[in-house]
PDB file of all heavy atoms in Angstrom:
ATOM      1  N   ARG A   1     -13.817 -51.171   6.260  1.00 95.00           N
ATOM      2  CA  ARG A   1     -14.999 -51.913   6.879  1.00 95.00           C
ATOM      3  C   ARG A   1     -16.222 -51.036   6.713  1.00 95.00           C
ATOM      4  O   ARG A   1     -16.214 -49.838   6.630  1.00 95.00           O
ATOM      5  CB  ARG A   1     -14.632 -52.161   8.346  1.00 95.00           C
ATOM      6  CG  ARG A   1     -14.610 -50.964   9.249  1.00 95.00           C
ATOM      7  CD  ARG A   1     -14.050 -51.326  10.609  1.00 95.00           C
ATOM      8  NE  ARG A   1     -14.888 -52.154  11.367  1.00 95.00           N
ATOM      9  CZ  ARG A   1     -14.553 -52.883  12.331  1.00 95.00           C
ATOM     10  NH1 ARG A   1     -13.298 -52.968  12.765  1.00 95.00           N
ATOM     11  NH2 ARG A   1     -15.419 -53.667  12.968  1.00 95.00           N
ATOM     12  N   ASP A   2     -17.345 -51.798   6.849  1.00 92.00           N
ATOM     13  CA  ASP A   2     -18.708 -51.232   6.814  1.00 92.00           C
ATOM     14  C   ASP A   2     -19.453 -51.806   7.885  1.00 92.00           C
ATOM     15  O   ASP A   2     -19.945 -53.032   7.766  1.00 92.00           O
ATOM     16  CB  ASP A   2     -19.384 -51.415   5.437  1.00 92.00           C
ATOM     17  CG  ASP A   2     -20.709 -50.721   5.320  1.00 92.00           C
ATOM     18  OD1 ASP A   2     -21.216 -50.288   6.390  1.00 92.00           O
ATOM     19  OD2 ASP A   2     -21.137 -50.511   4.209  1.00 92.00           O
ATOM     20  N   ASN A   3     -19.576 -51.110   9.030  1.00 88.00           N
ATOM     21  CA  ASN A   3     -20.198 -51.723  10.210  1.00 88.00           C
ATOM     22  C   ASN A   3     -21.730 -52.033   9.973  1.00 88.00           C
ATOM     23  O   ASN A   3     -22.252 -52.928  10.611  1.00 88.00           O
ATOM     24  CB  ASN A   3     -20.085 -50.760  11.351  1.00 88.00           C
ATOM     25  CG  ASN A   3     -18.666 -50.671  11.927  1.00 88.00           C
ATOM     26  OD1 ASN A   3     -17.866 -51.501  11.529  1.00 88.00           O
ATOM     27  ND2 ASN A   3     -18.458 -49.668  12.704  1.00 88.00           N
ATOM     28  N   ALA A   4     -22.346 -51.250   9.032  1.00 89.00           N
ATOM     29  CA  ALA A   4     -23.777 -51.548   8.721  1.00 89.00           C
ATOM     30  C   ALA A   4     -23.936 -52.817   8.045  1.00 89.00           C
ATOM     31  O   ALA A   4     -25.055 -53.328   8.027  1.00 89.00           O
ATOM     32  CB  ALA A   4     -24.330 -50.301   7.932  1.00 89.00           C
ATOM     33  N   ARG A   5     -22.924 -53.343   7.340  1.00 89.00           N
ATOM     34  CA  ARG A   5     -23.002 -54.510   6.561  1.00 89.00           C
ATOM     35  C   ARG A   5     -22.281 -55.679   7.189  1.00 89.00           C
ATOM     36  O   ARG A   5     -22.138 -56.795   6.677  1.00 89.00           O
ATOM     37  CB  ARG A   5     -22.574 -54.337   5.111  1.00 89.00           C
ATOM     38  CG  ARG A   5     -23.392 -53.338   4.451  1.00 89.00           C
ATOM     39  CD  ARG A   5     -22.731 -52.992   3.049  1.00 89.00           C
ATOM     40  NE  ARG A   5     -22.679 -54.116   2.223  1.00 89.00           N
ATOM     41  CZ  ARG A   5     -22.105 -54.085   0.965  1.00 89.00           C
ATOM     42  NH1 ARG A   5     -21.638 -52.968   0.493  1.00 89.00           N
ATOM     43  NH2 ARG A   5     -22.104 -55.199   0.217  1.00 89.00           N
ATOM     44  N   ASP A   6     -21.672 -55.463   8.388  1.00 91.00           N
ATOM     45  CA  ASP A   6     -20.811 -56.391   9.047  1.00 91.00           C
ATOM     46  C   ASP A   6     -19.726 -57.063   8.134  1.00 91.00           C
ATOM     47  O   ASP A   6     -19.534 -58.248   8.123  1.00 91.00           O
ATOM     48  CB  ASP A   6     -21.755 -57.560   9.577  1.00 91.00           C
ATOM     49  CG  ASP A   6     -22.708 -57.128  10.728  1.00 91.00           C
ATOM     50  OD1 ASP A   6     -22.615 -55.984  11.117  1.00 91.00           O
ATOM     51  OD2 ASP A   6     -23.499 -57.937  11.129  1.00 91.00           O
ATOM     52  N   THR A   7     -19.111 -56.138   7.378  1.00 94.00           N
ATOM     53  CA  THR A   7     -18.214 -56.571   6.359  1.00 94.00           C
ATOM     54  C   THR A   7     -16.881 -55.843   6.426  1.00 94.00           C
ATOM     55  O   THR A   7     -16.889 -54.672   6.686  1.00 94.00           O
ATOM     56  CB  THR A   7     -18.882 -56.374   4.971  1.00 94.00           C
ATOM     57  OG1 THR A   7     -20.052 -57.104   4.881  1.00 94.00           O
ATOM     58  CG2 THR A   7     -17.958 -56.828   3.875  1.00 94.00           C
ATOM     59  N   VAL A   8     -15.836 -56.510   6.171  1.00 96.00           N
ATOM     60  CA  VAL A   8     -14.509 -55.918   5.934  1.00 96.00           C
ATOM     61  C   VAL A   8     -13.971 -56.387   4.578  1.00 96.00           C
ATOM     62  O   VAL A   8     -14.202 -57.463   4.183  1.00 96.00           O
ATOM     63  CB  VAL A   8     -13.556 -56.338   7.077  1.00 96.00           C
ATOM     64  CG1 VAL A   8     -13.256 -57.809   7.160  1.00 96.00           C
ATOM     65  CG2 VAL A   8     -12.280 -55.539   7.026  1.00 96.00           C
ATOM     66  N   TRP A   9     -13.312 -55.513   3.893  1.00 97.00           N
ATOM     67  CA  TRP A   9     -12.721 -55.746   2.612  1.00 97.00           C
ATOM     68  C   TRP A   9     -11.239 -55.519   2.669  1.00 97.00           C
ATOM     69  O   TRP A   9     -10.639 -54.859   3.388  1.00 97.00           O
ATOM     70  CB  TRP A   9     -13.234 -54.745   1.603  1.00 97.00           C
ATOM     71  CG  TRP A   9     -14.760 -54.912   1.339  1.00 97.00           C
ATOM     72  CD1 TRP A   9     -15.351 -55.725   0.376  1.00 97.00           C
ATOM     73  CD2 TRP A   9     -15.751 -54.078   1.859  1.00 97.00           C
ATOM     74  NE1 TRP A   9     -16.770 -55.450   0.366  1.00 97.00           N
ATOM     75  CE2 TRP A   9     -17.018 -54.478   1.309  1.00 97.00           C
ATOM     76  CE3 TRP A   9     -15.782 -53.089   2.840  1.00 97.00           C
ATOM     77  CZ2 TRP A   9     -18.189 -53.914   1.639  1.00 97.00           C
ATOM     78  CZ3 TRP A   9     -16.996 -52.557   3.195  1.00 97.00           C
ATOM     79  CH2 TRP A   9     -18.209 -52.942   2.546  1.00 97.00           C
ATOM     80  N   LEU A  10     -10.626 -56.176   1.685  1.00 98.00           N
ATOM     81  CA  LEU A  10      -9.203 -56.094   1.462  1.00 98.00           C
ATOM     82  C   LEU A  10      -8.991 -55.787  -0.095  1.00 98.00           C
ATOM     83  O   LEU A  10      -9.214 -56.725  -0.870  1.00 98.00           O
ATOM     84  CB  LEU A  10      -8.313 -57.220   1.871  1.00 98.00           C
ATOM     85  CG  LEU A  10      -6.835 -57.077   1.626  1.00 98.00           C
ATOM     86  CD1 LEU A  10      -6.298 -56.048   2.615  1.00 98.00           C
ATOM     87  CD2 LEU A  10      -6.031 -58.387   1.843  1.00 98.00           C
ATOM     88  N   GLN A  11      -8.755 -54.557  -0.455  1.00 98.00           N
ATOM     89  CA  GLN A  11      -8.548 -54.177  -1.751  1.00 98.00           C
ATOM     90  C   GLN A  11      -7.112 -54.374  -2.088  1.00 98.00           C
ATOM     91  O   GLN A  11      -6.239 -53.762  -1.441  1.00 98.00           O
ATOM     92  CB  GLN A  11      -8.968 -52.708  -2.096  1.00 98.00           C
ATOM     93  CG  GLN A  11      -8.734 -52.239  -3.479  1.00 98.00           C
ATOM     94  CD  GLN A  11      -9.600 -52.974  -4.494  1.00 98.00           C
ATOM     95  OE1 GLN A  11     -10.751 -53.120  -4.385  1.00 98.00           O
ATOM     96  NE2 GLN A  11      -8.954 -53.457  -5.561  1.00 98.00           N
ATOM     97  N   MET A  12      -6.755 -55.214  -3.189  1.00 98.00           N
ATOM     98  CA  MET A  12      -5.349 -55.600  -3.456  1.00 98.00           C
ATOM     99  C   MET A  12      -5.144 -55.103  -4.860  1.00 98.00           C
ATOM    100  O   MET A  12      -5.723 -55.539  -5.785  1.00 98.00           O
ATOM    101  CB  MET A  12      -5.157 -57.088  -3.351  1.00 98.00           C
ATOM    102  CG  MET A  12      -5.488 -57.675  -1.929  1.00 98.00           C
ATOM    103  SD  MET A  12      -5.123 -59.408  -1.870  1.00 98.00           S
ATOM    104  CE  MET A  12      -6.383 -60.099  -2.931  1.00 98.00           C
ATOM    105  N   ASN A  13      -4.173 -54.161  -4.910  1.00 98.00           N
ATOM    106  CA  ASN A  13      -3.814 -53.638  -6.256  1.00 98.00           C
ATOM    107  C   ASN A  13      -2.319 -53.966  -6.514  1.00 98.00           C
ATOM    108  O   ASN A  13      -1.580 -54.315  -5.640  1.00 98.00           O
ATOM    109  CB  ASN A  13      -4.026 -52.145  -6.319  1.00 98.00           C
ATOM    110  CG  ASN A  13      -5.397 -51.736  -6.146  1.00 98.00           C
ATOM    111  OD1 ASN A  13      -6.355 -52.327  -6.592  1.00 98.00           O
ATOM    112  ND2 ASN A  13      -5.657 -50.505  -5.433  1.00 98.00           N
ATOM    113  N   SER A  14      -2.011 -53.834  -7.748  1.00 98.00           N
ATOM    114  CA  SER A  14      -0.512 -54.140  -8.140  1.00 98.00           C
ATOM    115  C   SER A  14      -0.027 -55.452  -7.606  1.00 98.00           C
ATOM    116  O   SER A  14       1.004 -55.517  -6.997  1.00 98.00           O
ATOM    117  CB  SER A  14       0.334 -52.926  -7.685  1.00 98.00           C
ATOM    118  OG  SER A  14      -0.058 -51.744  -8.203  1.00 98.00           O
ATOM    119  N   LEU A  15      -0.844 -56.400  -7.789  1.00 98.00           N
ATOM    120  CA  LEU A  15      -0.517 -57.726  -7.270  1.00 98.00           C
ATOM    121  C   LEU A  15       0.731 -58.338  -7.814  1.00 98.00           C
ATOM    122  O   LEU A  15       1.080 -58.115  -8.935  1.00 98.00           O
ATOM    123  CB  LEU A  15      -1.690 -58.665  -7.415  1.00 98.00           C
ATOM    124  CG  LEU A  15      -2.838 -58.495  -6.501  1.00 98.00           C
ATOM    125  CD1 LEU A  15      -4.114 -59.164  -6.961  1.00 98.00           C
ATOM    126  CD2 LEU A  15      -2.483 -59.036  -5.052  1.00 98.00           C
ATOM    127  N   LYS A  16       1.501 -59.005  -7.004  1.00 98.00           N
ATOM    128  CA  LYS A  16       2.724 -59.647  -7.353  1.00 98.00           C
ATOM    129  C   LYS A  16       2.671 -61.206  -7.044  1.00 98.00           C
ATOM    130  O   LYS A  16       1.855 -61.595  -6.307  1.00 98.00           O
ATOM    131  CB  LYS A  16       3.892 -59.107  -6.547  1.00 98.00           C
ATOM    132  CG  LYS A  16       4.056 -57.599  -6.580  1.00 98.00           C
ATOM    133  CD  LYS A  16       5.057 -57.139  -5.619  1.00 98.00           C
ATOM    134  CE  LYS A  16       5.355 -55.665  -5.592  1.00 98.00           C
ATOM    135  NZ  LYS A  16       6.338 -55.198  -4.667  1.00 98.00           N
ATOM    136  N   PRO A  17       3.419 -61.948  -7.800  1.00 97.00           N
ATOM    137  CA  PRO A  17       3.369 -63.386  -7.577  1.00 97.00           C
ATOM    138  C   PRO A  17       3.627 -63.781  -6.065  1.00 97.00           C
ATOM    139  O   PRO A  17       3.040 -64.805  -5.632  1.00 97.00           O
ATOM    140  CB  PRO A  17       4.537 -63.923  -8.430  1.00 97.00           C
ATOM    141  CG  PRO A  17       4.526 -62.976  -9.587  1.00 97.00           C
ATOM    142  CD  PRO A  17       4.297 -61.650  -9.001  1.00 97.00           C
ATOM    143  N   GLU A  18       4.417 -63.017  -5.435  1.00 96.00           N
ATOM    144  CA  GLU A  18       4.685 -63.334  -4.025  1.00 96.00           C
ATOM    145  C   GLU A  18       3.489 -63.077  -3.137  1.00 96.00           C
ATOM    146  O   GLU A  18       3.510 -63.408  -1.931  1.00 96.00           O
ATOM    147  CB  GLU A  18       5.919 -62.553  -3.469  1.00 96.00           C
ATOM    148  CG  GLU A  18       5.888 -61.114  -3.830  1.00 96.00           C
ATOM    149  CD  GLU A  18       6.723 -60.708  -5.020  1.00 96.00           C
ATOM    150  OE1 GLU A  18       6.590 -61.409  -6.022  1.00 96.00           O
ATOM    151  OE2 GLU A  18       7.467 -59.737  -5.012  1.00 96.00           O
ATOM    152  N   ASP A  19       2.413 -62.508  -3.659  1.00 97.00           N
ATOM    153  CA  ASP A  19       1.213 -62.262  -2.905  1.00 97.00           C
ATOM    154  C   ASP A  19       0.350 -63.606  -2.878  1.00 97.00           C
ATOM    155  O   ASP A  19      -0.652 -63.656  -2.201  1.00 97.00           O
ATOM    156  CB  ASP A  19       0.361 -61.095  -3.413  1.00 97.00           C
ATOM    157  CG  ASP A  19       1.039 -59.741  -3.293  1.00 97.00           C
ATOM    158  OD1 ASP A  19       1.651 -59.519  -2.182  1.00 97.00           O
ATOM    159  OD2 ASP A  19       0.968 -59.018  -4.205  1.00 97.00           O
ATOM    160  N   THR A  20       0.765 -64.483  -3.672  1.00 97.00           N
ATOM    161  CA  THR A  20       0.021 -65.748  -3.773  1.00 97.00           C
ATOM    162  C   THR A  20       0.036 -66.488  -2.399  1.00 97.00           C
ATOM    163  O   THR A  20       1.047 -66.665  -1.724  1.00 97.00           O
ATOM    164  CB  THR A  20       0.669 -66.703  -4.694  1.00 97.00           C
ATOM    165  OG1 THR A  20       0.562 -66.158  -6.055  1.00 97.00           O
ATOM    166  CG2 THR A  20      -0.057 -68.126  -4.786  1.00 97.00           C
ATOM    167  N   ALA A  21      -1.196 -66.788  -1.878  1.00 98.00           N
ATOM    168  CA  ALA A  21      -1.353 -67.371  -0.508  1.00 98.00           C
ATOM    169  C   ALA A  21      -2.877 -67.618  -0.366  1.00 98.00           C
ATOM    170  O   ALA A  21      -3.698 -67.188  -1.104  1.00 98.00           O
ATOM    171  CB  ALA A  21      -0.757 -66.430   0.560  1.00 98.00           C
ATOM    172  N   VAL A  22      -3.158 -68.409   0.736  1.00 98.00           N
ATOM    173  CA  VAL A  22      -4.488 -68.451   1.256  1.00 98.00           C
ATOM    174  C   VAL A  22      -4.667 -67.296   2.153  1.00 98.00           C
ATOM    175  O   VAL A  22      -3.859 -67.154   3.118  1.00 98.00           O
ATOM    176  CB  VAL A  22      -4.765 -69.795   2.003  1.00 98.00           C
ATOM    177  CG1 VAL A  22      -6.192 -69.870   2.521  1.00 98.00           C
ATOM    178  CG2 VAL A  22      -4.564 -70.998   1.051  1.00 98.00           C
ATOM    179  N   TYR A  23      -5.685 -66.474   1.955  1.00 98.00           N
ATOM    180  CA  TYR A  23      -5.966 -65.384   2.734  1.00 98.00           C
ATOM    181  C   TYR A  23      -7.133 -65.663   3.755  1.00 98.00           C
ATOM    182  O   TYR A  23      -8.135 -66.231   3.408  1.00 98.00           O
ATOM    183  CB  TYR A  23      -6.315 -64.189   1.912  1.00 98.00           C
ATOM    184  CG  TYR A  23      -5.138 -63.512   1.228  1.00 98.00           C
ATOM    185  CD1 TYR A  23      -4.552 -64.204   0.207  1.00 98.00           C
ATOM    186  CD2 TYR A  23      -4.635 -62.276   1.576  1.00 98.00           C
ATOM    187  CE1 TYR A  23      -3.369 -63.656  -0.364  1.00 98.00           C
ATOM    188  CE2 TYR A  23      -3.628 -61.729   1.016  1.00 98.00           C
ATOM    189  CZ  TYR A  23      -2.880 -62.468   0.005  1.00 98.00           C
ATOM    190  OH  TYR A  23      -1.815 -61.826  -0.541  1.00 98.00           O
ATOM    191  N   TYR A  24      -6.899 -65.305   5.038  1.00 98.00           N
ATOM    192  CA  TYR A  24      -7.797 -65.552   6.114  1.00 98.00           C
ATOM    193  C   TYR A  24      -8.203 -64.347   6.764  1.00 98.00           C
ATOM    194  O   TYR A  24      -7.505 -63.394   6.982  1.00 98.00           O
ATOM    195  CB  TYR A  24      -7.170 -66.449   7.151  1.00 98.00           C
ATOM    196  CG  TYR A  24      -6.726 -67.848   6.687  1.00 98.00           C
ATOM    197  CD1 TYR A  24      -5.404 -67.974   6.196  1.00 98.00           C
ATOM    198  CD2 TYR A  24      -7.631 -68.900   6.835  1.00 98.00           C
ATOM    199  CE1 TYR A  24      -5.100 -69.305   5.787  1.00 98.00           C
ATOM    200  CE2 TYR A  24      -7.249 -70.177   6.403  1.00 98.00           C
ATOM    201  CZ  TYR A  24      -5.933 -70.339   5.899  1.00 98.00           C
ATOM    202  OH  TYR A  24      -5.623 -71.577   5.430  1.00 98.00           O
ATOM    203  N   CYS A  25      -9.550 -64.163   6.980  1.00 97.00           N
ATOM    204  CA  CYS A  25     -10.091 -63.200   7.802  1.00 97.00           C
ATOM    205  C   CYS A  25     -10.126 -63.498   9.285  1.00 97.00           C
ATOM    206  O   CYS A  25     -10.573 -64.582   9.631  1.00 97.00           O
ATOM    207  CB  CYS A  25     -11.513 -62.906   7.244  1.00 97.00           C
ATOM    208  SG  CYS A  25     -12.371 -61.455   8.001  1.00 97.00           S
ATOM    209  N   HIS A  26      -9.863 -62.547  10.054  1.00 97.00           N
ATOM    210  CA  HIS A  26      -9.841 -62.746  11.507  1.00 97.00           C
ATOM    211  C   HIS A  26     -10.610 -61.650  12.204  1.00 97.00           C
ATOM    212  O   HIS A  26     -10.579 -60.500  11.864  1.00 97.00           O
ATOM    213  CB  HIS A  26      -8.324 -62.725  12.069  1.00 97.00           C
ATOM    214  CG  HIS A  26      -8.292 -62.672  13.500  1.00 97.00           C
ATOM    215  ND1 HIS A  26      -8.010 -61.532  14.297  1.00 97.00           N
ATOM    216  CD2 HIS A  26      -8.404 -63.745  14.354  1.00 97.00           C
ATOM    217  CE1 HIS A  26      -8.006 -61.872  15.566  1.00 97.00           C
ATOM    218  NE2 HIS A  26      -8.223 -63.154  15.686  1.00 97.00           N
ATOM    219  N   ALA A  27     -11.422 -62.160  13.173  1.00 95.00           N
ATOM    220  CA  ALA A  27     -12.192 -61.237  14.052  1.00 95.00           C
ATOM    221  C   ALA A  27     -11.844 -61.423  15.425  1.00 95.00           C
ATOM    222  O   ALA A  27     -11.840 -62.586  15.958  1.00 95.00           O
ATOM    223  CB  ALA A  27     -13.682 -61.533  13.731  1.00 95.00           C
ATOM    224  N   GLU A  28     -11.577 -60.305  16.096  1.00 94.00           N
ATOM    225  CA  GLU A  28     -11.346 -60.248  17.518  1.00 94.00           C
ATOM    226  C   GLU A  28     -12.584 -59.618  18.090  1.00 94.00           C
ATOM    227  O   GLU A  28     -12.747 -58.374  17.978  1.00 94.00           O
ATOM    228  CB  GLU A  28     -10.078 -59.514  17.851  1.00 94.00           C
ATOM    229  CG  GLU A  28      -9.878 -59.484  19.412  1.00 94.00           C
ATOM    230  CD  GLU A  28      -8.719 -58.571  19.889  1.00 94.00           C
ATOM    231  OE1 GLU A  28      -8.544 -57.501  19.191  1.00 94.00           O
ATOM    232  OE2 GLU A  28      -7.966 -58.870  20.797  1.00 94.00           O
ATOM    233  N   GLU A  29     -13.357 -60.357  18.739  1.00 91.00           N
ATOM    234  CA  GLU A  29     -14.637 -59.843  19.412  1.00 91.00           C
ATOM    235  C   GLU A  29     -14.278 -59.330  20.782  1.00 91.00           C
ATOM    236  O   GLU A  29     -13.891 -60.009  21.654  1.00 91.00           O
ATOM    237  CB  GLU A  29     -15.605 -60.951  19.450  1.00 91.00           C
ATOM    238  CG  GLU A  29     -16.969 -60.543  19.966  1.00 91.00           C
ATOM    239  CD  GLU A  29     -17.931 -61.660  20.039  1.00 91.00           C
ATOM    240  OE1 GLU A  29     -17.628 -62.731  20.657  1.00 91.00           O
ATOM    241  OE2 GLU A  29     -19.034 -61.609  19.449  1.00 91.00           O
ATOM    242  N   VAL A  30     -14.399 -58.001  20.964  1.00 88.00           N
ATOM    243  CA  VAL A  30     -13.878 -57.365  22.106  1.00 88.00           C
ATOM    244  C   VAL A  30     -15.001 -56.816  23.002  1.00 88.00           C
ATOM    245  O   VAL A  30     -15.959 -56.181  22.511  1.00 88.00           O
ATOM    246  CB  VAL A  30     -12.965 -56.198  21.797  1.00 88.00           C
ATOM    247  CG1 VAL A  30     -12.386 -55.540  23.073  1.00 88.00           C
ATOM    248  CG2 VAL A  30     -11.709 -56.707  21.005  1.00 88.00           C
ATOM    249  N   TYR A  31     -14.928 -57.128  24.309  1.00 88.00           N
ATOM    250  CA  TYR A  31     -15.893 -56.526  25.229  1.00 88.00           C
ATOM    251  C   TYR A  31     -15.094 -55.883  26.417  1.00 88.00           C
ATOM    252  O   TYR A  31     -14.034 -56.333  26.757  1.00 88.00           O
ATOM    253  CB  TYR A  31     -16.779 -57.718  25.905  1.00 88.00           C
ATOM    254  CG  TYR A  31     -17.649 -58.364  24.826  1.00 88.00           C
ATOM    255  CD1 TYR A  31     -17.154 -59.515  24.273  1.00 88.00           C
ATOM    256  CD2 TYR A  31     -18.897 -57.954  24.607  1.00 88.00           C
ATOM    257  CE1 TYR A  31     -17.961 -60.143  23.319  1.00 88.00           C
ATOM    258  CE2 TYR A  31     -19.614 -58.577  23.672  1.00 88.00           C
ATOM    259  CZ  TYR A  31     -19.234 -59.661  23.086  1.00 88.00           C
ATOM    260  OH  TYR A  31     -20.039 -60.332  22.196  1.00 88.00           O
ATOM    261  N   THR A  32     -15.577 -54.772  26.755  1.00 86.00           N
ATOM    262  CA  THR A  32     -14.949 -53.970  27.909  1.00 86.00           C
ATOM    263  C   THR A  32     -15.955 -53.934  29.090  1.00 86.00           C
ATOM    264  O   THR A  32     -15.524 -53.562  30.195  1.00 86.00           O
ATOM    265  CB  THR A  32     -14.593 -52.546  27.483  1.00 86.00           C
ATOM    266  OG1 THR A  32     -15.720 -51.855  27.017  1.00 86.00           O
ATOM    267  CG2 THR A  32     -13.478 -52.587  26.363  1.00 86.00           C
ATOM    268  N   ILE A  33     -17.215 -54.131  28.892  1.00 86.00           N
ATOM    269  CA  ILE A  33     -18.245 -54.094  29.859  1.00 86.00           C
ATOM    270  C   ILE A  33     -18.950 -55.430  29.913  1.00 86.00           C
ATOM    271  O   ILE A  33     -19.378 -55.963  28.812  1.00 86.00           O
ATOM    272  CB  ILE A  33     -19.271 -53.078  29.749  1.00 86.00           C
ATOM    273  CG1 ILE A  33     -18.535 -51.619  29.625  1.00 86.00           C
ATOM    274  CG2 ILE A  33     -20.337 -53.059  30.760  1.00 86.00           C
ATOM    275  CD1 ILE A  33     -17.862 -51.243  30.969  1.00 86.00           C
ATOM    276  N   PRO A  34     -19.086 -56.199  31.051  1.00 89.00           N
ATOM    277  CA  PRO A  34     -18.735 -55.705  32.424  1.00 89.00           C
ATOM    278  C   PRO A  34     -17.274 -55.845  32.768  1.00 89.00           C
ATOM    279  O   PRO A  34     -16.885 -55.271  33.816  1.00 89.00           O
ATOM    280  CB  PRO A  34     -19.572 -56.557  33.280  1.00 89.00           C
ATOM    281  CG  PRO A  34     -19.669 -57.846  32.549  1.00 89.00           C
ATOM    282  CD  PRO A  34     -19.660 -57.491  31.083  1.00 89.00           C
TER     283      PRO A  34
END
């Protein structure tokens, strides 16, 4: 991740046919205060 760019990456190497899928990005927006 790069917080300055509000971006997360997934580098995928040595890909296999079983990696075939729809890939989804998920964000959990967390607050502790208040």
Side-chain angles (χ1 to χ4, degrees):
R1 67 191 295 160
D2 185 343
N3 290 344
R5 298 172 62 182
D6 295 356
T7 302
V8 62
W9 294 274
L10 184 67
Q11 178 66 49
M12 304 184 292
N13 298 325
S14 301
L15 282 162
K16 305 174 181 179
E18 50 262 45
D19 295 319
T20 296
V22 177
Y23 284 71
Y24 296 90
C25 183
H26 172 256
E28 181 189 35
E29 187 181 53
V30 179
Y31 297 92
T32 58
I33 303 295

